Amino acid sequence: MTQQQYVYMFSEGDRDQKDLLGGKGANLAEMVKLGLPVPPGFTISTNACRAYLSEGKVPPEVRVEVTRSVRDVEDQIGRHLGDSEEPLLLSVRSGAKFSMPGMMETVLNVGLNDDTVGPLADFAGDERFAWDSYRRLIQMFGKTVLDIDSDLFSDALDARKEAAGVTADIDLDAEQLKALVKEYKEIVERKTGTPFPQSPRKQLDMAIEAVFRSWNTERARLYRRRERIPDDLGTAVNVQAMVFGNLADASGTGVCFTRDPSSGHSGVYGDYLANAQGEDVVAGIRNTLPLAELEKLDKSAYRELRSAMRRLETHYRDLCDIEFTIERGHLWMLQTRVGKRTPAAAFRVATQLVDEALITMDEALERVTGEQLNQLLFPQFDPEAERVLLATGMGASPGAAVGEVAFDNESATSRKADGHDVILVRRETSPEDLPGMIAAVGVLTARGGKTSHAAVVARGMGMCAVVGADDLVVDVAHKQIRVGERVINEGDVIAIDGKSGEVFLGDVPVVDSPVMTYISDGLEAAKAASDGDVETDELLDAVHRLLTHADDRRRLRVRANADTGEDAERARARGAEGIGLCRTEHQFLGDRRKNIEAVIVAETDEDRQAAFDELLPLQRADFIELLAAMDGLPTTIRLIDPPLHEFLPNITDLSVEVALAEERGESGPELERAKVLLEAVRRTHEQNPMLGLRGVRLGLRFPGLFALQIRAIGEAVVELRKQGKDPQPEIMVPLIGSVRELYLVRGEAEEILAEIGKTSGEALDVPIGCMIELPRAALTARRIAHAADFFSFGTNDLTQTTWGFSRDDVETEFFPAYFDNGVLTISPFETLDEYGVGRLVEIGVEGGRSVKENLKTGVCGEHGGDPESIHFFHRTGLDYVSCSPFRVPVARLEAGRAAVMTRDASSTA
Ligand code: PEP
Ligand code: MG
């Protein structure tokens, strides 16, 4: 067995070895390979860290390899660790595969001790600098390696400054720093029982171990959880010869970017600080100079830097961020990486690189994400504006909305009719609140999670929503919101931020997004509105080019979930290629609720049929409107799904109403009707309505209900064809668990359609398929496929029933605890749980296609608009995703990326 290598000189690695060397180590190695001036050093690999974490001690081989590597560094630089003339000092820095800024430890100036501090002063020609470096070492080492409370050091420093009558560290002279070093050493000895280690090698070994240990600090663990970085990666440690930007005025340090990471403007960008170390730049102690000023200070170093920047960008073929130091006129490169950037910069830089022939359009598409596009679409509160924060909930549907508080449908609609913007505030919402939501510009609830009703509907409508703001006491009866001492009454103005989940008191001005104008009105209109702003126009061009390219590349079709003609038109304008889900229950709200009530309370078949007959023309008109808007495109209409109690009054409210009326001795037809209704509400009341009488079960339990909808669809087709249109409905049956259920509905549907066909003379070949949203449906897909013309995965219910999580309750109830203890890293209602729910989707697709090779499959759960899930659906071979109209552009972009990225992966496999 060959012995495992733990330590690598920078010259041995390259940028593809991030797993082994960490991001920083791999990029340092790459710079060495490019011949750029990097202070010599080596990387102790993540293997060594993992060995340390599992065994609790540094493997002995690491010590041996470190000796070899330190000697190599000494030979390269011509200085020696602990040397009494020209001592070598080392920096010891963490560097994991994924950047974890500030989460782990760094120790600088390792190698300084009582013997080397003098020679360092001579070498630098600056005694103060040498003693300041020594006190920084003891302070950093004491805190990081020896675990001493850092306040002890800062208190001593403050006392020393006070005694000297100065306020800044920089004003302490060499003698004062010398005294401070003495004091620091005493603190170390007092706290650890042993003197500060004088052996440079011992300092080095202890610092390396401390960096390994810092992988598991509380804050590092927390950060990883939030960023979804696996806990078992470990960190590498980079040991490198120190160079000093704080030696004299021919020295300095800086950070630069090869393009502006904030706007995406092409041309270099950065900050420089003369006579300083990296920490000083970060801490903002002194004002930095723009990079261009360096040209005046040191023309040759500046030129060398510019040429290194160009090399790096050409080599990485992307925007790079770079840290550098100039030591007495000599440029040293300390770090580089592909730089983080804002969404606008991501789009602009990607297309600039295409135009400069550095990358292809396919590569450019990989460089931008749906989430970045999403951020460019939402209006935002003006960051400059003043605001008063009331509470923070979950940002469930992004956007920025300001309006008057309304607590119910009536108030929301009347305020809107008076020309006011409204925010509908509820404890939680139910389908009954839809009219209020439609009238509102935003929705705020005190309860509920990201897939609760309010959230799903709001996203569907592209409307801003904050849910689960549980600091708010929403008292609908008194028409008040209470937060602590504060009371907000109906009509008061609030502002909600659907991205951050913040709720503000009063008006906060918003700024509109040009990319949104482009998506809804096209490139020309957006450019006309930009008033010739070059940066905006460049951004618009970049988004347009990348989105068009994604459309060319993607295999997945993109449809929208839309219930009305207006929504459908909006979806179509954004590039939807069909409707994947029309939730017809939304058409039974408002005035029509009484018809559903009549269906439920009907005592005879005739009464029930009368209620259906009244609904038929209304449904037909709904479908005519929807199918006309989607003329020529497939439109999946789902038969009614939700439990009927959602259309009935609340059982407690109605009981109280009836009891009070009886107590007052009232009588008459109204009370009688209320009693009949109450009886029906009691009869249909269920403990677990989401697992109860809903979906296909409703259709089989109330004969005539589905028939009415199917008839309305058939008649709508006939009517539209008469108008010369090309309606393309698809009938979808919800909540199928057994093939028999589907056969029953299918039989009924075929009969009705055939009858309409016969009377109208039109052939109605409407596809009939079903949702796969119960585990049993996925597991028996092979059987169900015989009765289905298509499958659409309802991943909301499939997630709910696979996990046994109630989608309306869990997100506020116990998900927070599940995130804390790591059972979940993200809500499975947001990003598809590939291993569990995703496995059922795969089984469903395989099963269906084993019977019908070309069975059309899609997804219409919320996951259809989620980037990560879209990549999964692409790999699983679905034909389309369907998402809210607002997310259509995001889905188009991600579907294109999925196609390009899957191809990349298979060509390198
Ligand atoms: C689903 O369950 O994924 C779905 C789309 O249906 P709904 O959200 O209406 O239950
Ligand atoms: Mg469902």
Side-chain angles (χ1 to χ4, degrees), residues 311-584:
R311 295 249 346 243
L312 283 172
E313 192 176 83
T314 311
H315 185 69
Y316 281 86
R317 304 187 308 135
D318 205 346
L319 181 163
C320 291
D321 100 28
I322 294 160
E323 286 176 24
F324 65 95
T325 278
I326 297 171
E327 184 187 87
R328 291 187 171 141
H330 188 103
L331 173 73
W332 291 104
M333 307 292 282
L334 297 188
Q335 173 170 323
T336 192
R337 63 182 169 198
V338 168
K340 295 217 177 348
R341 63 206 74 182
T342 63
F347 278 84
R348 288 179 68 191
V349 168
T351 48
Q352 282 161 14
L353 294 173
V354 171
D355 295 341
E356 292 167 29
L358 274 171
I359 61 174
T360 64
M361 268 313 266
D362 279 0
E363 287 169 314
L365 197 52
E366 291 186 35
R367 305 271 178 97
V368 293
T369 66
E371 207 34 62
Q372 287 166 334
L373 177 58
N374 198 30
Q375 287 182 21
L376 293 172
L377 291 177
F378 292 110
Q380 274 155 5
F381 285 124
D382 184 345
E384 309 293 319
E386 273 186 34
R387 59 197 72 191
V388 180
L389 184 68
L390 286 178
T392 304
M394 261 179 276
S397 177
V402 182
E404 294 176 1
V405 170
F407 291 99
D408 53 38
N409 291 338
E410 200 188 315
S411 150
T413 35
S414 71
R415 281 171 197 277
K416 180 168 184 210
D418 292 342
H420 300 279
D421 281 344
V422 175
I423 307 247
L424 182 70
V425 182
R426 304 284 298 163
R427 217 174 138 252
E428 58 211 335
T429 70
S430 76
E432 264 181 66
D433 299 320
L434 198 68
M437 290 182 75
I438 291 170
V441 294
V443 185
L444 168 64
T445 71
R447 276 182 56 84
K450 283 192 185 166
T451 46
S452 62
H453 181 264
V456 171
V457 175
R459 271 199 296 277
M461 298 178 4
M463 169 200 281
C464 170
V466 172
V467 296
D470 46 17
D471 283 349
L472 301 181
V473 179
V474 176
D475 183 346
V476 177
H478 295 96
K479 297 193 179 271
Q480 279 187 345
I481 310 175
R482 292 188 294 275
V483 206
E485 299 288 286
R486 214 186 281 270
V487 176
I488 292 118
N489 292 303
E490 188 150 59
D492 289 354
V493 172
I494 60 168
I496 59 175
D497 185 330
K499 202 156 140 248
S500 67
E502 289 165 311
V503 182
F504 304 104
L505 182 65
D507 193 357
V508 182
V510 290
V511 280
D512 219 348
S513 137
V515 177
M516 187 68 240
T517 314
Y518 155 68
I519 293 289
S520 30
D521 303 334
L523 191 59
E524 253 175 60
K527 283 198 172 174
S530 83
D531 259 349
D533 180 70
V534 180
E535 305 257 311
T536 305
D537 287 354
E538 202 185 302
L539 172 64
L540 290 167
D541 282 329
V543 171
H544 175 68
R545 286 171 64 189
L546 285 162
L547 202 51
T548 311
H549 188 67
D551 286 339
D552 281 350
R553 283 286 189 257
R554 68 190 157 85
R555 185 186 53 72
L556 278 173
R557 303 280 95 198
V558 177
R559 299 195 189 182
N561 294 355
D563 308 329
T564 62
E566 198 184 323
D567 275 356
E569 266 162 32
R570 189 184 316 165
R572 199 171 182 157
R574 288 173 190 171
E577 297 157 301
I579 299 290
L581 172 64
C582 161
R583 289 181 166 100
T584 53

Side-chain angles (χ1 to χ4, degrees), residues 1-57:
M1 201 177 86
T2 53
Q3 202 188 321
Q4 151 118 279
Q5 182 178 350
Y6 285 117
V7 182
Y8 295 80
M9 297 307 297
F10 290 161
S11 55
E12 290 180 279
D14 64 46
R15 67 168 161 169
D16 295 327
Q17 291 176 297
K18 293 198 176 69
D19 286 329
L20 184 71
L21 304 176
K24 188 193 285 260
N27 286 322
L28 279 165
E30 192 72 15
M31 286 202 288
V32 169
K33 226 169 82 178
L34 287 177
L36 292 172
V38 174
F42 53 90
T43 303
I44 305 167
S45 68
T46 55
N47 284 343
C49 181
R50 284 193 295 272
Y52 169 82
L53 294 172
S54 72
E55 284 155 36
K57 62 180 186 359

Side-chain angles (χ1 to χ4, degrees), residues 707-783:
L708 138 80
Q709 295 195 289
I710 294 163
R711 182 170 295 280
I713 294 169
E715 291 178 359
V717 170
V718 172
E719 169 64 31
L720 286 167
R721 285 206 192 143
K722 264 197 229 148
Q723 298 173 15
K725 294 207 161 58
D726 177 23
Q728 297 284 341
E730 302 174 331
I731 295 175
M732 180 155 77
V733 188
L735 218 75
I736 288 291
S738 148
V739 65
R740 179 90 191 123
E741 294 168 321
L742 187 55
Y743 271 129
L744 289 170
V745 178
R746 187 179 186 98
E748 185 180 22
E750 282 174 347
E751 243 172 62
I752 295 168
L753 294 173
E755 183 213 309
I756 300 172
K758 213 155 137 205
T759 30
S760 66
E762 290 281 343
L764 297 182
D765 47 354
V766 180
I768 300 169
C770 67
M771 297 196 62
I772 302 288
E773 51 183 342
L774 292 175
R776 191 175 194 282
L779 296 169
T780 62
R782 217 178 269 268
R783 296 165 64 81

Side-chain angles (χ1 to χ4, degrees), residues 456 561 581 583 585 638 641 694 771 773 793-798 807 860-862:
V456 171
N561 294 355
L581 172 64
R583 289 181 166 100
E585 57 270 21
R638 181 178 71 182
D641 176 35
R694 53 171 291 219
M771 297 196 62
E773 51 183 342
F793 289 88
T795 46
N796 300 336
D797 274 308
L798 196 57
R807 59 199 258 198
C860 62
E862 284 297 289

